[in-house]
Amino acid sequence: MSEKTPLLHYRLTSSDSPPTKVESTHSGSKDKTFQKLGVVFGVVVPTLLSMFSVVVFLRIGFVVGQAGLYQSVAMFLVAYFIITLTVLSICAISTNGALDAGGAYYMISRALGPEFGGSIGIMFFFANVCGSALYVLGLVEAIMSTFGIPEVAVAGPHQVLPSGYWWSLLYGTALLFLCFIVCLVGTHIYAKAIFIIVIIVAAVLATIFINFFIARPIVVVLPNSSGLNSTSVSTANYTGFQLNTLEGNLMPNYTVDYSTGATMTFTTVFAVLFNGCTGIMAGSNMSGDLKNPSYSIPRGTLAAVLTTFITYNLLCLLAAWSCDRHLLQKDYSFLGDINVWPPLVTIGIYSSTMSAAMSNLIGASRILYAMSKDGLFGGVLALARRTSLSGNPWVSVLASWLLVQVVLFAGKLNTIASIVTIFFLLVYAAVNLACLALEWASAPNFRPSFRCFTWHTCALGILGCLVMMFLINAIHAFACIAFMLLLWMLIHYLGPISNWGYISQALIFHQVRKYLLMLDARKDHVKFWRPQLLLMVANPRSCTNLMTFINDLKKSGLLVLGHVKLGLLDELPSDPLPSCYDSWLSLVDHLNIKAFVNLTLSDSVRHGAQSLLFITGFGGMRPNTLVLGFYDDCTPQDELQGKIVLSAGHDLDAASPTADPREQWSPFFPYVRCAEELKDLPDHEYVSVIADAVKMGKNVTLARYFNQFNRVEVLESGKKIGGYRDLTGPFVDVWPLNLLQPDSRGYVDTCSLFLLQLACVLKESRAWSQARLRLFLCVESERSPKEKEEQAKKLRVMLKELRITAQVQMVEWDQVVALHWQRQGGARWNLVESAQNVERRERPDEEWQDDGFQTFPNNDALLTDEYICAVNDLIRRHAGPQPAVRFLYLPRPPADTSRYRAYLHQVDVLSRDLGPTLLIHGVTPVVTTVL
């Protein structure tokens, strides 16, 4: 059953549905044996055995002897404060729904997503590997202290094992191989022995506590390796409960550790001590074998943590009250030396340490196996998925065993203690981070039954873990964090898409909602205007070049890809749009553009465009400009043919065995329209969409010939000649005059400034930073040179005030304009009428009638094709070097709907064969000259 299965379906069907054949083969015995583990044997016992190991038997004296009673208790308080905060986070996550096998890795990966889950999973894997090596080295140290041949003194009758680094490595290898055999056979052997082991450990701890009260003062012979030379003191005293002994052990006295030769400090001692607190996840790691994980994990883990905390502090108090400081510092196995029957302590050390080593080895192999099943690292961990006939992941066990063997070359327990501690602290910090992220995301489905936590406890847990990491060893801490970030990046960019749910999406939603509410449209100001574009796309296959260009044009603004699917919901069995979003979003990823997608279902393109203009966006993030492809007779080209666009779980353009070759690359997007097929949008409806947008106060941009636009070639041309500033390309040509209104004399109107602003925005984008603007100023040849220069100077002053860098070129167009007025019965236009038209444009408020519709000049009805063709030729003659794109003034559609076809024809003739062109009509002020 997948993780997306609804809870109701899960509850109704999970118990009745028969298991698959594989499941019944590999997990049938497991279900009968282990699925009914309760609080005690499922959580408390594994956690106690993981925490009661090396520290309780071999390092209590070391901690008290070096740090003193006060600092020892302080260390335990700090350590248990950190792990208690982490336990609270574990309890919260474990009680928020059903848990699967995998323990902490499963919690983190399913809470924070595959990136954090995979990187922390690797760190947790290494923590268990190093922890297993730590316990093996501790066991070797205990064996050598009892049975090892001393280097200086005479060996006793039971001291028969040769000593030295390589001998210790050999013993560790043999013990590790024994653990490997047990893990290779299966975890059931360890599970059967867990009851016996916990009885032994409990009995040993009971005798240790009793012995402090019944043992008489004795002189203990120290191990010879504890002395730096032959003249050092070789004995120490067990005084029993003496007040002067307690006073001598209260304060710290850091000396050289006789096992490593390094001088101890607070942080090094804390690193050793903290290893006794790193078994808190043993119970959560058993989540797949618990009868009720949500009930058992919180109670069992908290009970185990409280038990170990009391035990450790009592042992510290009793040791400081009864043992000489020299004994604590020079004999790590003093608990056996002062015991009424020393072999009992030895048995406890061997059994608990061996079980902890096996537990860590098994845990490491299971984490590796879980990550390989999730496929986070692709084929790197493919072999680790192999299992035996009984379902045991033997390849993962083998890999874990080899890595533990490598760590054994460190040779000494205290050498790798700090590394193990940093690994576990990093994992604990990640668990706290997972709980903190879930709490901050405020997701309705995060409602754990364990409520004894807040975001403050999670944050304190993270802070405590990070602080202790750097106090223990800053270099190792930096290295571990850098390694984790490297793994995070590898999984993020190379890993597969999962269906676990991404906490980042929940956090982003939470923050975006908050800031969208703060983005008040009433506070908009022209100083902070930016393009927010709605690009209407009929078929993405023929518009990819336009999409990439508009993505550059938006710069830091908003880009929404809009599409109208024709149809009525009443005639369909269900909404067809949700299944289309995956294809569109995959195309956005493929084109590497930053855009939203908004689809709608409508009976006509016009009504659909109106709906998108009305509803697209939130608050202050709404499109202010509508971008349309041009309405002409060009046959659309399939720009995605031969390209594979991958989607989540599907190949967007995978080849399919269809008879029609046009459908070979289009399982999601329809094939492009053929030349003989009719358009979905009539010409008058196309102009109506433009008119509707203008009525709504939206700027309109028509994009033509962008099937000829090659972004890579255009931008590369600028780089090749970038060293010559006078010839730097690409060029962007701007014609700010309304060329379809021959009596125009003024350049400074809203639409002209909008053209300049969009051209400037395009140039300011990073990809077009080498582009150069060319501004064409139409003048009359009959004017004197002084008047022409004065007009150009005014335009340059305006550009300077607007902070726009552009090259101004004078264009004489008397002969072109004469073609229009000659048809009207005169060789030149009436200056009085022209002045009146200019005055009317300067008073736009008077152009509105009482019914709310605007009146328009009638010149557009009198324009001839001869005049418009002459204007088109004028633009083409002033195109050297060839521009990458042109910006032309788009007149407003006529109020008379019967003139729509004539309007579209005029715009078509004006922009014919000009290459990539934007025809722009601006209705909102977008520039300012004041701060």
Side-chain angles (χ1 to χ4, degrees), residues 240-353:
F241 292 117
Q242 298 289 334
L243 187 59
N244 58 348
T245 303
L246 178 61
E247 292 176 349
N249 289 328
L250 292 178
M251 306 307 295
N253 182 20
Y254 295 105
T255 60
V256 175
D257 174 26
Y258 72 85
S259 64
T260 60
T263 301
M264 294 294 100
T265 62
F266 178 90
T267 55
T268 55
V269 174
F270 179 81
V272 176
L273 173 146
F274 195 81
N275 284 283
C277 311
T278 54
I280 59 174
M281 290 186 177
S284 60
N285 289 338
M286 300 285 289
S287 57
D289 303 321
L290 298 177
K291 180 167 57 177
N292 190 350
S294 299
Y295 177 86
S296 301
I297 290 177
R299 290 163 176 79
T301 306
L302 289 173
V305 168
L306 181 61
T307 302
T308 55
F309 177 74
I310 295 174
T311 303
Y312 282 142
N313 282 278
L314 284 178
L315 285 176
C316 288
L317 176 62
L318 296 177
W321 201 346
S322 61
C323 298
D324 180 69
R325 174 66 67 97
H326 198 67
L327 173 63
L328 298 176
Q329 291 180 341
K330 301 301 181 181
D331 187 4
Y332 293 161
S333 58
F334 79 99
L335 290 177
D337 296 335
I338 66 176
N339 200 281
V340 291
W341 191 47
L344 185 61
V345 177
T346 303
I347 294 174
I349 294 173
Y350 294 172
S351 59
S352 64
T353 309

Side-chain angles (χ1 to χ4, degrees), residues 628-787:
L628 300 171
F630 198 80
Y631 194 95
D632 54 21
D633 297 328
C634 295
T635 303
Q637 303 174 4
D638 191 348
E639 298 166 4
L640 284 179
Q641 187 173 6
K643 298 179 182 179
I644 297 178
V645 183
L646 298 178
S647 63
H650 301 280
D651 288 343
L652 184 63
D653 276 357
S656 57
T658 56
D660 192 344
R662 296 174 302 179
E663 296 182 357
Q664 183 175 2
W665 302 95
S666 55
F668 290 90
F669 295 131
Y671 57 85
V672 296
R673 176 180 54 84
C674 297
E676 61 274 8
E677 295 184 26
L678 297 177
K679 299 179 181 180
D680 295 331
L681 181 66
D683 51 0
H684 64 86
E685 188 175 340
Y686 175 81
V687 181
S688 297
V689 173
I690 301 174
D692 292 342
V694 174
K695 291 177 183 178
M696 295 180 190
K698 309 294 184 182
N699 309 296
V700 179
T701 298
L702 307 183
R704 189 174 191 183
Y705 293 124
F706 274 86
N707 58 330
Q708 305 173 9
F709 178 77
N710 189 316
R711 182 176 184 271
V712 176
E713 292 182 359
V714 168
L715 299 182
E716 284 295 330
S717 65
K719 294 179 181 179
K720 292 179 181 179
I721 59 176
Y724 303 94
R725 297 302 301 172
D726 293 337
L727 298 176
T728 300
F731 288 97
V732 177
D733 288 359
V734 181
W735 294 77
L737 179 65
N738 186 357
L739 300 175
L740 295 183
Q741 191 169 343
D743 60 349
S744 297
R745 288 194 175 189
Y747 283 87
V748 185
D749 64 355
T750 300
C751 188
S752 299
L753 293 177
F754 187 79
L755 261 73
L756 290 174
Q757 180 78 333
L758 278 189
C760 183
V761 169
L762 178 66
K763 184 182 183 304
E764 288 179 352
S765 64
R766 181 178 302 178
W768 291 78
S769 59
Q770 295 295 325
R772 301 198 68 183
L773 301 183
R774 293 188 301 192
L775 186 61
F776 293 89
L777 178 61
C778 296
V779 297
E780 304 168 14
S781 59
E782 295 182 358
R783 291 191 177 187
S784 64
K786 185 177 180 180
E787 291 178 339

Side-chain angles (χ1 to χ4, degrees), residues 23 131 197 255 321 409 414 614 663 842 844 874 900:
E23 289 175 346
I197 293 175
T255 60
W321 201 346
F409 281 93
N414 289 3
F614 276 127
E663 296 182 357
E842 292 175 352
L874 177 71
Y900 279 1

Side-chain angles (χ1 to χ4, degrees), residues 860-882:
D860 58 343
L862 304 176
L863 295 176
T864 63
D865 286 354
E866 183 181 7
Y867 164 74
I868 301 175
C869 289
V871 173
N872 177 270
D873 183 66
L874 177 71
I875 297 173
R876 284 190 290 170
R877 282 190 284 110
H878 292 81
Q882 184 69 23

Side-chain angles (χ1 to χ4, degrees), residues 900-913:
Y900 279 1
R901 282 190 172 86
Y903 169 82
L904 184 60
H905 172 73
Q906 292 169 2
V907 176
D908 175 34
V909 175
L910 173 67
S911 58
R912 187 172 295 169
D913 298 326

Side-chain angles (χ1 to χ4, degrees), residues 119-132:
S119 56
I120 293 297
I122 288 291
M123 305 304 292
F124 196 33
F125 167 74
F126 283 125
N128 280 271
V129 165
C130 294
S132 180

